[in-house]
């Protein structure tokens, strides 16, 4: 496996992702058959490269720190450290990998905590292969993937970071950016829509999170939906 991972890292520069290289993906699942199936499909994608695997949450955190993937496909239910706790550990380490939850559990009590912990979205294990590849590309581009029923569950819970009053500190431009985040736009797409540089958009996003006391884009998107800023 080490040889395959090394080749993956070398090949990454030749990918066709938007930034000119392949999207580096780490697979974290306690079932080897699942990992093998995911790897087999993803390795035929020109713009996606599987750089490593892990069989539990702790190993997943260690591998993510070692390999610095762009996207982690993370199972939820695993022996020992589960996917949600592993995600919290990654965020505590300031690991910037986007985490896409891959789960066979549809209960909101399973998915909602993962999104609260900072996941960029989730897909089910029976997802169509092409849809999985599209989901990886989407979260890598900065999108948040939320199914309507889970978004509703999140909105029904206590809102993180306070209420409408915090929104009064946002500038008009920041409100525009926030509305586009809620629509699922990436920073690049927001930059194009508002005729701004991507660096400027990143600054606006950082200011929005700071002013609203939110942890990530998922919480920002939910805040915007709650307060009517989405399209």
């Amino acid at each position: 496996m080490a040889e395959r991972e090394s080749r993956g890292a070398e090949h990454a520069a030749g990918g066709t992702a938007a930034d000119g290289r392949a999207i580096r993906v780490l697979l974290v699942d306690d079932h080897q058959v699942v990992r093998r199936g995911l790897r087999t499909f993803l390795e035929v994608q020109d713009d996606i490269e599987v750089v490593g695997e892990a069989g539990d949450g702790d190993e997943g955190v260690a591998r993510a720190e070692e390999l610095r993937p762009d996207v982690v496909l993370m199972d939820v239910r695993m022996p020992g450290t589960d996917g949600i706790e592993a995600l919290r550990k990654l965020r505590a380490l300031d690991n910037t990998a986007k985490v896409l939850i891959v789960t066979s559990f549809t209960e909101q009590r399973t998915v909602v905590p993962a999104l609260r912990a900072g996941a960029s979205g989730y897909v089910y294990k029976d997802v169509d292969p092409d849809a999985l590849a599209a989901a990886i590309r989407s979260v890598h581009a900065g999108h948040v993937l939320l199914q309507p029923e889970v978004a509703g569950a999140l909105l029904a819970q206590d809102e993180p970071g306070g209420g409408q009053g915090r929104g009064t500190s946002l500038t008009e431009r920041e409100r525009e950016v926030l509305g586009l985040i809620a629509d699922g736009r990436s920073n690049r797409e927001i930059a194009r829509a508002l005729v701004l540089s991507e660096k400027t958009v990143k600054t606006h996003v950082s200011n929005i999170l700071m002013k609203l006391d939110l942890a990530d884009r998922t919480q920002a998107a939910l805040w915007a939906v709650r307060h009517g800023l989405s399209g």
Side-chain angles (χ1 to χ4, degrees):
M1 184 173 71
E3 291 180 0
R4 296 179 76 180
E5 291 170 6
S6 176
R7 289 198 302 270
E10 293 171 359
H11 176 71
T16 56
D19 60 359
R21 65 178 180 84
I23 302 170
R24 295 164 52 81
V25 175
L26 172 67
L27 308 177
V28 183
D29 194 294
D30 60 315
H31 292 98
Q32 185 177 10
V33 172
V34 173
R35 298 199 308 271
R36 184 178 301 161
L38 290 171
R39 178 185 280 273
T40 298
F41 167 70
L42 293 176
E43 284 187 336
V44 304
Q45 303 297 312
D46 290 337
D47 60 341
I48 297 174
E49 189 71 29
V50 177
V51 296
E53 300 179 15
D56 59 52
D58 283 333
E59 185 185 6
V61 172
R63 298 293 275 162
E65 283 291 281
E66 173 192 355
L67 298 170
R68 310 304 291 188
D70 300 307
V71 177
V72 178
L73 297 188
M74 182 85 75
D75 190 15
V76 175
R77 302 282 182 86
M78 293 182 288
T81 299
D82 65 16
I84 297 172
E85 183 58 29
L87 176 52
R88 293 188 180 117
K89 289 183 178 181
L90 283 176
R91 294 299 171 253
L93 291 168
D94 290 328
N95 191 292
T96 59
K98 304 292 176 59
V99 175
L100 181 62
I101 296 295
V102 183
T103 180
S104 57
F105 299 92
T106 60
E107 299 97 331
Q108 292 176 357
R109 67 175 181 271
T110 299
V111 178
V112 169
L115 295 171
R116 287 281 189 218
S120 295
Y122 70 96
V123 294
Y124 298 128
K125 286 187 176 179
D126 61 355
V127 65
D128 178 85
D130 290 332
L132 175 60
I136 291 171
R137 297 181 186 108
S138 183
V139 299
H140 178 252
H143 293 289
V144 176
L145 297 181
L146 291 176
Q147 297 295 329
E149 66 274 14
V150 174
L154 284 164
L155 289 170
Q157 297 180 4
D158 290 338
E159 180 187 66
Q164 175 68 45
R166 294 185 183 273
T168 60
S169 64
L170 298 178
T171 66
E172 185 60 34
R173 178 64 83 187
E174 287 166 352
R175 292 174 71 85
E176 289 178 324
V177 170
L178 182 55
L180 291 172
I181 290 174
D183 291 340
R185 305 284 191 93
S186 67
N187 284 351
R188 179 169 298 179
E189 290 169 333
I190 293 172
R192 289 173 179 169
L194 299 180
V195 195
L196 300 171
S197 70
E198 195 168 346
K199 182 177 180 180
T200 298
V201 172
K202 289 180 180 179
T203 299
H204 284 314
V205 172
S206 296
N207 289 340
I208 289 166
L209 296 180
M210 178 185 66
K211 289 180 179 181
L212 297 180
D213 193 21
L214 301 175
D216 52 43
R217 295 174 73 95
T218 302
Q219 291 186 358
L222 293 168
W223 193 100
V225 171
R226 180 185 287 272
H227 296 296
L229 295 184
S230 65

